[in-house]
Amino acid sequence: MNLIPVPLLSEDSRPGRRCFRVKGADRALAVSGLPAEELRVAPPALPETGELDLLRHFTRLSQKNFGISTNFYPLGSCTMKYNPVVHEAIAAQTAWSGLHPWQNEADVQGALRVMHELAHDLGVLTGLPGVTLHPAAGAHGELSALMVLRGWLDARGESHRRTILIPDSAHGTNPASCTLAGFKVVTVHSDERGLCDPEDVKAHLGPDTAGLMITNPNTLGLFEENIAEICRLVHEAGGKVYMDGANFNAIVGVARPADFGVDMMHLNLHKTMSTPHGGGGPGAGPICVTEELAPWLPNPRVVRDEDGIFRLEESAQAFGRLRGFHGNFLVLLRAWCYVRRLGAEGMRRVAENAVLNANYLRVLVRDHWRVPFDRVCMHEFVARPTRSMRDKGAHTMDVAKRLIELGYHPPTVYFPLVVNEAIMAEPTETESKETLDAFAAAMAQIAREAEAGDPCLHEAPRNTPVGRVDEARAVKDPRLCWQCGS
Ligand SMILES: Cc1ncc(COP(=O)(O)O)c(C=O)c1O
């Protein structure tokens, strides 16, 4: 048998003890300065196995992975979008990945240039020239922008403005970021068309208004048609407008949020600009703000001297640092590649194709499912089971599980909260007509099963190692360690 060399370990004599001590290394441990009671006294019960068996084990595990490289992944809002392999190869080059943030500015001119150019490009795409690349994700960007707003308000002697208006269709991170930044949240209702209602905005504006956070296109995949009017109302009341730009791929290269009247926004580079997204990161959520707000952005900033040298600069008004260094550089590098490869025309086509694909799929899906806001959508749309399906006991979770069984990653489910039993699908700009047709056929099959009360819907998925779990409990009581017994 081809055994992997395993160091000789002494036996564990103490029940329940997870520690081990490598024979012959006692002396090293003794001089390590660790208290004796913290040192391992016995080997862990690691499995001993042959190389080939181990290789097969990990290969089998990797084959159980589901990702954009295996099949369609229409997870609305959080979709795995276009992540070209060439960008991964570039980001993996040690010339980039081997850089250290403490290196001299003179030695990292290339990296500083990438950040400077990316910040410039994002400023052009959004129309908001003050850019920081530091935030690690969308939610982090929201928090940073609210800190900028706080700094700006305080500098004007308007610290009493501490209320932020947020539409009820917003992503949960919006109110969470507000609370974290010390603002009070007031909810604004959507109208029957699924849009933020300017009348309701007007009714909630007042002397304590700091601003409004609005997602556009919103989480229903609808363009906020009254955005210019809403921005005007908020400005008149003395506040600023923050746009959650997580859905920017629907309008990138077509519309600049600054032209609607938006003052600040974040971009989820890990969604819109080519970084694998899922499992919580790594990501990047740069924020773009007007020139007026730019001095309050976090330090440091990358600037370019007249002689073409890039260096770091600090602003006295900055709210401070958001993190140790400059953000997730390799994510920023992928975004830089993305923008520079596609160019203005390519970016525009991203938005056009994202919208076209979503509408194509919406029209196929609505033959069998209820689409509550059934009109031209942006990059995603929301569907739900019909009443008769629900009467037969078929719910959104059953649809999601059956899709897994049929080989698809389910769309986002039970979000946005303004639609009961929501199924939010985002096909993205890069999927083929054949893929969309096949997914629509799977949805049609599930609809027929739901209408017929087929029990397979409640048993799915039957072809995965784990079928249905108590999801609420799994979140609250995760057992993540090896040999926990569950
Ligand atoms: C509309 C919207 N806003 C904000 C966020 C938060 O972004 P992140 O997950 O990068 O923190 C998301 C994430 O999916 C989102 O869909």
Side-chain angles (χ1 to χ4, degrees):
M1 195 166 139
N2 183 13
L3 280 181
I4 290 181
V6 175
L8 285 173
L9 303 164
S10 63
E11 278 297 314
D12 186 354
S13 55
R14 296 195 279 170
R17 189 79 181 165
R18 291 235 178 103
C19 311
F20 75 99
R21 186 167 54 190
V22 181
K23 272 184 189 162
D26 297 15
R27 188 192 299 263
L29 290 172
V31 296
S32 69
L34 290 174
E37 65 274 17
E38 296 299 332
L39 297 181
R40 293 187 185 282
V41 294
L46 291 175
E48 220 174 90
T49 185
E51 179 181 337
L52 201 50
D53 291 331
L54 193 70
L55 178 70
R56 286 176 187 151
H57 170 71
F58 284 113
T59 304
R60 270 196 300 271
L61 280 185
S62 75
Q63 286 166 343
K64 288 188 169 64
N65 264 345
F66 190 101
I68 190 76
S69 50
T70 46
N71 209 349
F72 189 44
Y73 201 119
L75 187 69
S77 200
C78 303
T79 305
M80 303 283 270
K81 299 196 176 76
Y82 180 41
N83 303 316
V85 175
V86 64
H87 296 180
E88 297 306 308
I90 293 170
Q93 286 175 359
T94 44
W96 300 112
S97 62
L99 293 177
H100 193 280
W102 282 128
Q103 276 178 257
N104 291 331
E105 283 171 19
D107 298 338
V108 291
Q109 283 293 300
L112 294 177
R113 176 176 163 190
V114 163
M115 290 192 277
H116 190 264
E117 290 184 356
L118 179 63
H120 170 268
D121 292 349
L122 300 183
V124 170
L125 288 167
T126 59
L128 297 162
V131 179
T132 179
L133 304 173
H134 296 196
H140 206 198
E142 294 165 20
L143 176 68
S144 332
L146 291 162
M147 304 282 281
V148 168
L149 178 60
R150 256 185 96 112
W152 178 78
L153 287 169
D154 292 351
R156 291 162 59 90
E158 296 194 278
S159 308
H160 59 281
R161 290 186 181 270
R162 285 290 183 262
T163 301
I164 302 273
L165 276 48
I166 303 184
D168 52 9
S169 59
H171 193 265
T173 50
N174 289 191
S177 304
C178 276
T179 308
L180 208 57
F183 289 98
K184 188 175 143 226
V185 176
V186 170
T187 304
V188 180
H189 294 291
S190 305
D191 62 18
E192 66 290 344
R193 301 186 68 232
L195 303 177
C196 177
D197 181 358
E199 286 308 314
D200 207 32
V201 170
K202 208 192 259 174
H204 288 101
L205 290 170
D208 60 336
T209 302
L212 169 129
M213 282 180 107
I214 187 165
T215 308
N216 196 20
N218 69 20
T219 59
L220 292 162
L222 302 173
F223 188 82
E224 289 287 355
E225 293 169 11
N226 301 311
I227 183 78
E229 166 70 354
I230 291 169
C231 290
R232 191 185 59 77
L233 290 170
V234 176
H235 290 156
E236 268 177 20
K240 295 286 185 199
V241 176
Y242 178 86
M243 189 178 116
D244 177 328
N247 297 334
F248 195 51
N249 69 314
I251 58 171
V252 64
V254 176
R256 293 183 312 175
D259 296 339
F260 316 144
V262 167
D263 303 288
M264 316 173 270
M265 69 179 288
H266 81 257
L267 294 165
N268 288 56
L269 297 190
H270 49 289
K271 293 175 167 198
T272 309
M273 291 173 187
S274 165
T275 280
H277 172 237
I287 54 169
C288 307
V289 304
T290 56
E291 242 167 81
E292 183 190 9
L293 296 169
W296 284 271
L297 288 170
N299 284 329
R301 296 113 193 259
V302 182
V303 294
R304 187 171 184 266
D305 285 342
E306 276 171 12
D307 51 8
I309 303 295
F310 297 94
R311 60 180 179 78
L312 299 178
E313 194 180 74
E314 308 247 313
S315 158
Q317 286 119 304
F319 69 73
R321 275 182 179 249
L322 192 65
R323 53 187 305 160
F325 298 102
H326 311 286
N328 282 332
F329 176 70
L330 295 178
V331 179
L332 304 175
L333 177 64
R334 289 173 174 98
W336 178 84
C337 295
Y338 184 82
V339 176
R340 297 275 156 159
R341 272 184 71 213
L342 291 181
E345 177 53 28
M347 299 299 274
R348 188 184 180 90
R349 278 179 40 220
V350 163
E352 288 169 353
N353 286 340
V355 172
L356 183 65
N357 277 0
N359 279 287
Y360 181 72
L361 193 59
R362 176 181 60 84
V363 170
L364 293 179
V365 163
R366 75 176 174 195
D367 286 345
H368 305 276
W369 300 86
R370 194 160 129 52
V371 175
F373 302 100
D374 191 16
R375 58 179 195 275
V376 174
C377 64
M378 298 300 288
H379 61 303
E380 63 191 2
F381 65 93
V382 176
R384 55 183 297 215
T386 62
R387 176 170 290 282
S388 66
M389 291 176 189
R390 281 179 283 138
D391 288 346
K392 295 204 175 78
H395 292 279
T396 289
M397 189 54 79
D398 303 313
V399 179
K401 298 293 184 189
R402 182 76 172 118
L403 277 170
I404 294 174
E405 199 170 64
L406 296 179
Y408 294 98
H409 193 286
T412 295
V413 291
Y414 299 105
F415 180 80
L417 302 177
V418 285
V419 172
N420 207 6
E421 301 259 347
I423 302 173
M424 181 167 64
E426 178 175 2
T428 79
E429 57 275 8
T430 40
E431 294 295 344
S432 66
K433 179 175 176 302
E434 289 72 22
T435 300
L436 301 185
D437 287 339
F439 179 74
M443 286 296 284
Q445 176 188 333
I446 297 173
R448 284 191 294 274
E449 290 163 355
E451 295 288 4
D454 192 327
C456 75
L457 279 183
H458 307 294
E459 292 155 12
R462 293 163 293 188
N463 52 357
T464 53
V466 177
R468 302 227 174 182
V469 292
D470 178 346
E471 305 207 359
R473 181 146 176 243
V475 171
K476 294 203 165 98
D477 184 20
R479 305 276 174 89
L480 302 175
C481 72
W482 181 55
Q483 285 192 339
C484 274
S486 57

